[in-house]
């Protein structure tokens, strides 16, 4: 599984970074940075991030 963020939808509000700070953060310019891969132990945080995004910009791709 890997994380995909739709950059067109994302509005850089950072709710995902609160839910799953191991994978999501806002940089000094307020732009979202994220790591696509995640460990099993972080899976529930990642699912929380998917659910917390107000514009449904985060999806999980099972190909990766
Ligand atoms: S919660 Fe959604 S809109 Fe906000 S920074 Fe994360 S991906 Fe972007």
């Amino acid at each position: 599984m890997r994380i995909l963020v739709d950059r067109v939808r994302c509005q850089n509000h950072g709710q995902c970074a609160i839910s799953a700070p191991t994978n999501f953060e806002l940089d000094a310019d307020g732009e979202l940075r994220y790591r696509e891969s995640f460990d099993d132990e972080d899976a529930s945080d990642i699912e929380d991030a998917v659910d917390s995004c107000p514009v449904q910009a985060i999806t999980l791709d099972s190909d990766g």
Side-chain angles (χ1 to χ4, degrees):
M1 292 273 259
R2 67 189 172 117
I3 298 166
L4 296 174
V5 174
D6 182 337
R7 293 286 186 180
V8 176
R9 279 177 176 260
C10 175
Q11 295 173 356
N12 299 311
H13 290 315
Q15 284 88 339
C16 54
I18 296 169
S19 297
T22 53
N23 275 78
F24 298 90
E25 66 174 1
L26 297 184
D27 70 13
D29 295 324
E31 289 281 319
L32 176 67
R33 292 189 181 277
Y34 71 103
R35 188 162 50 94
E36 288 188 351
S37 61
F38 57 92
D39 298 329
D40 286 348
E41 65 190 37
D42 292 324
S44 82
D45 283 355
I46 302 301
E47 286 171 11
D48 286 348
V50 172
D51 291 341
S52 72
C53 179
V55 294
Q56 289 87 46
I58 310 170
T59 53
L60 299 180
D61 180 353
S62 57
D63 287 347

